[in-house]
Amino acid sequence: MNLPPFLLERYFAEHEFSAPHLLCVSDCEALTVGQLLDLEPGGREALERLPLGYSESAGHPELRALIAGLHGGLAPEDVLVHVGAQEAVFTFATALLEPGDEVVVHVPCYQSLFQVAASRGCRVIPWTAREENGWLPDPDELESLMGERTRAVVLNFPHNPTGARLDRSGLERVARIAARRGCWLFSDEVYRFLEYGPGETAQPACELYERAVSLGVMSKSFGLAGLRVGWAACRDRGLLAEMARVKDYTTICGTAPGEFLACLALRRREQVLERTRAVTLGNLELLRGFMERRKDLLHWVEPSGGPIAFPRLASGADARPFCEAALAATGVLLLPGALYGEAWKAHFRVGFGRAGFAAGLAALEPWLASGRACAS
C-alpha cells in the first residue's frame, strides 16, 4: 500500500500549534481531566485505582455497552473500539476492499475516506455534494454511479467540511439503494449529537441496514479528542471480526485511562454534550453576523450540523493566498478548500466549536474591513 501525504493533516502539523487563532479546527472545546472527573462522584478515586496494563483489544466491555446504547437495537458485541476514528477508517477499508473494487465516496471529504481505498487499488467514484444544492448529494445520482463492482458507499453527515445534514428520509433512501445493490455502507457520523434543532439527531446508519457501519468518536461532539477513542458499530459481526484482525497490526488496543474517561463521559453524556452545544451554537450566532457583514467578500451555505462551515470567496479566486495572507497579517488560521481537492479551491473551512472563536473573528474582521484582504 502506497499512501500519499495527507494534505490536511500536514497543514495542521505545520500550523496548528503555532497560529495564535485557530478558526478552522474540526473539533470542539476540550474538557480538562479535572472537569470530566468532577461530573461523577468518586471518579478521581476510581481513576487512581486503575491498573495501567493492556486493555481489551475490542474495547472495555462497559465502553462497548455504552457505545451500543447510542445506537438502537445494538449489543456490545456489535461495537469495535478503535484508537480514534482514523484507525476505524483504515481497518474497514483494509478488511473489506480488494484491488478492482469500486467505492462511491461522498465528496468533498476527509482524505482518508477515499485515500485508503484508492491506495488498495480500488476505483474511487466521487458522489459530489454541490453548493447550489445546499451541499446535499443527490440520491438519484448515487444510484447511477453504482455498478456490479461497487463494494461500498461512503458518506458523512453532519458533513465535514460543509456542515450539511441529511434528514432521516434521505438517509433511509441511501440505505435502500445500498441494500438493493448488496453493497456496504460506511457512514461517518463523528458529528452526531451536534445537530442544531430539537429532534434532529441523526439516526445511525447501522440501525437501518445490516451491512452499514456507523463511525463514531469522542473527539468531535464530546470535545475529548485527547482520549483517542473511536468506534465502528455494525450488526455484521463477521466484518467486525475482520476489522479486529487488521487492528492487531495497528494499535492492538487502546489506553486504559482513555477508555475509563470515555466511559465516564458517556455515562454523563447529556452534561458533556450540553456544554459542547452551548459553545458551538453561541459561536454560530457570531459567525452568522460576521458573514452578513462581509457578504461583499464572502458567500456561504449556512451549516445545519457540526462545528464547521465552508464559505467561499465571492470573487471565485483561489482561497489559498487569502488564507496565507490572513495568517501572516492576523494570526488567524483558516483551511484552504484546495486541501479537499481543486474543485473547492475558492472555499475555505471555518471551525466554530472552540471557546476562542470570538477572539479569532475579532482579529480577522478589521483586516477584512481594511480592504487588504482583497489584494491578497
Side-chain angles (χ1 to χ4, degrees):
M1 181 182 293
N2 182 21
L3 289 168
F6 201 126
L7 300 179
L8 183 149
E9 294 299 341
R10 290 299 90 210
Y11 184 82
F12 275 114
E14 182 179 358
H15 298 298
E16 184 176 7
F17 296 99
S18 58
H21 303 289
L22 301 178
L23 249 64
C24 62
V25 290
S26 62
D27 61 337
C28 296
E29 183 68 16
L31 289 104
T32 67
V33 174
Q35 287 172 322
L36 191 53
L37 292 173
D38 283 344
L39 296 178
E40 190 162 276
R44 280 179 171 76
E45 294 77 9
L47 180 60
E48 289 175 355
R49 294 192 299 270
L50 182 71
L52 292 178
Y54 287 115
S55 59
E56 295 190 33
S57 180
H60 191 282
E62 182 186 5
L63 179 58
R64 295 170 74 193
L66 287 164
I67 293 169
L70 303 175
H71 310 80
L74 265 63
E77 294 76 21
D78 300 318
V79 174
L80 179 63
V81 175
H82 289 78
V83 177
Q86 182 78 286
E87 185 183 38
V89 174
F90 184 86
T91 62
F92 170 81
T94 305
L96 182 72
L97 302 176
E98 298 291 343
D101 286 343
E102 292 182 352
V103 182
V104 179
V105 182
H106 171 195
V107 297
C109 69
Y110 191 60
Q111 186 174 334
S112 62
L113 290 175
F114 69 85
Q115 192 67 70
V116 181
S119 296
R120 288 190 59 77
C122 298
R123 180 184 175 217
V124 174
I125 301 171
W127 179 30
T128 304
R130 296 178 174 84
E131 184 180 15
E132 59 268 28
N133 296 330
W135 291 119
L136 292 175
D138 182 358
D140 290 334
E141 183 182 4
L142 170 62
E143 196 144 27
S144 71
L145 295 172
M146 300 172 71
E148 292 184 1
R149 298 191 67 88
T150 303
R151 184 70 166 150
V153 173
V154 177
L155 75 160
N156 167 215
F157 290 109
H159 184 229
N160 175 1
T162 69
R165 182 183 60 85
L166 190 67
D167 62 20
R168 181 188 178 106
S169 63
L171 180 60
E172 289 174 343
R173 188 174 176 195
V174 171
R176 287 195 299 270
I177 292 170
R180 283 200 299 270
R181 298 280 185 166
C183 68
W184 293 88
L185 179 59
F186 188 85
S187 179
D188 179 344
E189 300 167 6
V190 299
Y191 290 114
R192 186 175 175 231
F193 302 114
L194 262 188
E195 298 84 2
Y196 302 154
E200 290 184 354
T201 299
Q203 184 173 23
C206 63
E207 293 182 8
L208 299 174
Y209 177 40
E210 64 275 7
R211 301 189 86 182
V213 178
S214 290
L215 175 71
V217 76
M218 299 301 295
S219 304
K220 308 298 186 184
S221 302
F222 291 93
L224 294 168
L227 297 188
R228 309 308 302 136
V229 172
W231 60 84
C234 180
R235 287 183 282 158
D236 190 305
R237 296 178 186 177
L239 175 64
L240 293 182
E242 292 301 314
M243 292 172 66
R245 292 190 183 98
V246 175
K247 188 169 179 273
D248 288 341
Y249 285 91
T250 55
T251 62
I252 303 175
C253 64
T255 71
E259 294 195 355
F260 172 92
L261 292 170
C263 285
L264 194 160
L266 289 173
R267 288 195 297 268
R268 305 290 176 172
R269 63 179 176 269
E270 285 309 315
Q271 293 165 269
V272 174
L273 291 169
E274 182 179 0
R275 174 184 181 271
T276 304
R277 291 190 197 104
V279 173
T280 301
L281 293 177
N283 286 339
L284 178 58
E285 282 298 310
L286 297 177
L287 182 57
R288 286 188 182 118
F290 170 83
M291 292 299 297
E292 176 63 25
R293 292 189 299 273
R294 302 315 317 172
K295 62 185 179 183
D296 58 325
L297 179 63
L298 307 174
H299 290 179
W300 75 329
V301 174
E302 186 173 319
S304 56
I308 51 180
F310 205 43
R312 64 176 170 86
L313 298 181
S315 66
D318 187 345
R320 186 186 290 272
F322 169 80
C323 294
E324 292 171 350
L327 179 60
T330 70
V332 170
L333 186 66
L334 301 168
L335 184 76
L339 296 178
Y340 288 94
E342 285 299 306
W344 300 285
K345 67 181 182 181
H347 295 264
F348 60 94
R349 192 177 78 182
V350 174
F352 51 92
R354 292 193 186 179
F357 184 74
L361 281 186
L364 182 64
E365 190 155 18
W367 177 70
L368 294 176
S370 73
R372 285 173 289 167
C374 298
S376 302

